[in-house]
Amino acid sequence: MKRFAVLLLALAMTVCCAMPAFAAGTIEVTEDVSVSDDYDWTRFKGQNVAINVYNWGEYISNGSDDSVDVVAAFEKLTGIKVNYTTFDSNESMYAKLKSGAANYDVVIPSDYMVAKMIAEGMLKPLNYDNIPNFKKINQEYVNPDYDPQNAYTVPYMLCTTGIIYNTTMVDKAPTSWADLWDEQYAGNILMFNNSRDAYAIAAFKSGHDINPQSTEEVDEVVEELKAQKPLVQAYVMDEIFDKMIGGEAAVGVYYSGDAITMIDDNPDLAWVFPEEGSVLSVDCMTIPAASEHQEAAEMFINFMCETDIGKANAEYIGYTTPMQDVWEVLDEDLKESEIAYPSEEKTAKEKVFTALSDDVNSELDVKWSEMKSYDEGGSSLLFLALLAAMVALACFNIWRKVRRRNRNQY
């Protein structure tokens, strides 16, 4: 037994002594970024390869504010050109890919949209031989419900939804999703401009499941959104940055990482995890079925999982990393942030989106569109009514003048 203990001790000493050698096995890309040297990063150099990357807005470290320019670092290291464009919702991204209007090599949808895209054959299975850094992903995010065999996805970032508000514009801080139906905020509320996140808020408020199982359930919850609509200033996505930072609205709803960015730019803003609970989303790196550069796309995904790159992205955008080794080297303020890394009490109330049936999905799309156009239709009718009244009044005045003239003739 003692001999076994001695062997274990010797093995431990050997591993510890070898660790600096492993740490030294890196390639310096920039002053702040090194990557593993046991990966062939240069195999596409001189081949004029370009990939199209489609990501959420404000969702990568881009070189501003002394941050790392991740795309430029990848291009310098690999010789691969990156055409980088952004979208503002899963639904707009899906519609563009579905239409065939553009061809992308890497897209970063959220979990529920991943499930939908897998079911419709819109994603390619990944070759993990080209993504060895997948081993860095925490086990709790491996083989998720939306991709049970992890055939199509590598987690990029995690986030929750919540309420962001301006402390100078509200008398009492909101604590609940239901507060977004309070008339004291009339004309000062910013809501999600996508059906799934907006539906979830109304579902939390009314005690329904955020993943409706029937068309009748969809109809009930959307009625809540219709009742809220007169209080809403605007339905927004990335527009929320300018509006909340600029003090154009008192209360908004958005994603946790973006809340950190907004609060940094305007210290009068604050964040609330609503008491009913929140939605936890996992955004994933995927390769569309139409991609013509799969291996280069997989190299990009592997690069995004490098520890220095993961750190740069997490610190710049404020979202939650799915990689433990990245978390360990984060700035202490971010590691201790209750927005990015909430308490167990709050995480216990988090819910996740799941894929909906075709009937329920279709009903949600229809009812969402009806809800969004509800006031517009009402405004059109009001305009027509006012126009008719003006015409009637004009005709009445003409009739009075004619009548008066005729009467004066007598």
Side-chain angles (χ1 to χ4, degrees):
M1 194 69 181
K2 289 182 180 179
R3 183 181 177 189
F4 180 66
V6 171
L7 287 172
L8 281 179
L9 179 60
L11 178 61
M13 292 177 65
T14 301
V15 171
C16 291
C17 293
M19 285 181 69
F22 284 118
T26 58
I27 301 170
E28 185 177 283
V29 184
T30 70
E31 183 179 344
D32 301 312
V33 172
S34 295
V35 297
S36 308
D37 70 349
D38 56 353
Y39 186 87
D40 185 2
W41 296 105
T42 61
R43 59 185 178 273
F44 289 103
K45 279 203 168 181
Q47 297 184 34
N48 295 321
V49 174
I51 59 173
N52 300 321
V53 176
Y54 201 28
N55 194 6
W56 295 81
E58 304 290 335
Y59 212 33
I60 196 171
S61 180
N62 61 13
S64 61
D65 299 328
D66 296 322
S67 66
V68 174
D69 188 332
V70 167
V71 168
F74 177 77
E75 291 178 327
K76 176 184 176 182
L77 175 65
T78 66
I80 298 170
K81 168 69 177 172
V82 177
N83 301 311
Y84 186 90
T85 53
T86 63
F87 56 86
D88 64 4
S89 73
N90 283 295
E91 287 70 22
S92 63
M93 176 276 301
Y94 169 84
K96 192 167 185 180
L97 263 68
K98 197 71 172 176
S99 71
N103 188 14
Y104 295 101
D105 300 293
V106 178
V107 296
I108 306 183
S110 301
D111 38 25
Y112 75 90
M113 187 56 72
V114 166
K116 181 179 176 67
M117 294 170 76
I118 291 173
E120 296 180 15
M122 295 176 65
L123 300 179
K124 277 188 176 181
L126 301 177
N127 179 358
Y128 284 97
D129 289 342
N130 295 323
I131 314 173
N133 282 333
F134 181 74
K135 66 180 181 294
K136 297 184 179 183
I137 302 296
N138 293 354
Q139 281 301 303
E140 61 187 298
Y141 306 118
V142 174
N143 299 328
D145 290 343
Y146 56 85
D147 183 12
Q149 305 301 317
N150 246 125
Y152 301 92
T153 60
V154 174
Y156 175 53
M157 292 286 173
L158 294 76
C159 73
T160 54
T161 52
I163 299 173
I164 186 166
Y165 67 98
N166 191 314
T167 59
T168 68
M169 298 176 69
V170 301
D171 295 328
K172 184 179 179 182
T175 60
S176 163
W177 291 119
D179 290 338
L180 299 174
W181 275 254
D182 191 326
E183 292 187 357
Q184 70 171 309
Y185 301 126
N188 259 322
I189 299 171
L190 301 177
M191 272 290 284
F192 278 115
N193 193 23
N194 76 74
S195 58
R196 202 70 195 271
D197 284 318
Y199 181 94
I201 291 173
F204 274 123
K205 184 254 183 186
S206 59
H208 287 78
D209 192 331
I210 66 169
N211 300 299
Q213 301 301 308
S214 68
T215 56
E216 290 78 15
E217 192 176 356
V218 169
D219 297 347
E220 290 175 15
V221 173
V222 174
E223 283 300 313
E224 297 277 356
L225 293 174
K226 188 180 288 188
Q228 182 204 31
K229 191 170 185 357
L231 308 178
V232 175
Q233 180 192 116
Y235 293 89
V236 298
M237 292 304 295
D238 285 347
E239 304 95 321
I240 194 172
F241 287 92
D242 289 339
K243 285 183 172 289
M244 290 304 300
I245 292 169
E248 296 179 32
V251 181
V253 295
Y254 219 55
Y255 308 113
S256 53
D258 294 315
I260 292 175
T261 299
M262 287 185 265
I263 292 169
D264 283 345
D265 289 340
N266 183 350
D268 290 333
L269 301 178
W271 174 259
V272 170
F273 281 95
E275 58 192 22
E276 300 97 333
S278 179
V279 176
L280 172 67
S281 294
V282 182
D283 296 327
C284 302
M285 294 178 283
T286 67
I287 298 179
S291 170
E292 297 177 356
H293 305 286
Q294 180 169 353
E295 188 176 342
E298 288 164 344
M299 184 180 291
F300 181 84
I301 293 172
N302 193 61
F303 183 77
M304 295 286 273
C305 294
E306 283 287 329
T307 302
D308 282 357
I309 297 302
K311 177 180 186 292
N313 284 328
E315 290 185 347
Y316 183 77
I317 66 178
Y319 277 71
T320 308
T321 177
M323 297 187 290
Q324 179 66 25
D325 65 326
V326 171
W327 181 84
E328 289 173 354
V329 296
L330 287 180
D331 178 83
E332 288 299 321
D333 288 342
L334 182 57
K335 287 172 71 171
E336 296 171 4
S337 168
E338 270 286 296
I339 301 177
Y341 300 95
S343 65
E344 290 185 10
E345 179 184 359
K346 291 172 180 174
T347 57
K349 292 184 177 181
E350 292 172 348
K351 306 293 183 183
V352 296
F353 285 134
T354 59
L356 305 178
S357 69
D358 290 343
D359 288 346
V360 170
N361 236 333
S362 177
E363 184 73 2
L364 180 55
D365 288 344
V366 169
K367 291 300 180 181
W368 171 255
S369 296
E370 288 179 359
M371 188 281 298
K372 286 291 298 297
S373 62
Y374 178 69
D375 271 1
E376 295 169 13
S379 299
S380 298
L381 291 174
L382 179 61
F383 173 76
L384 291 174
L386 290 172
L387 182 61
M390 292 171 64
V391 170
L393 181 61
C395 291
F396 177 70
N397 287 333
I398 293 172
W399 175 79
R400 285 180 63 192
K401 289 179 181 178
V402 171
R403 186 168 180 263
R404 187 181 299 115
R405 186 176 66 246
N406 288 343
R407 186 172 59 190
N408 289 341
Q409 287 178 352
Y410 294 103

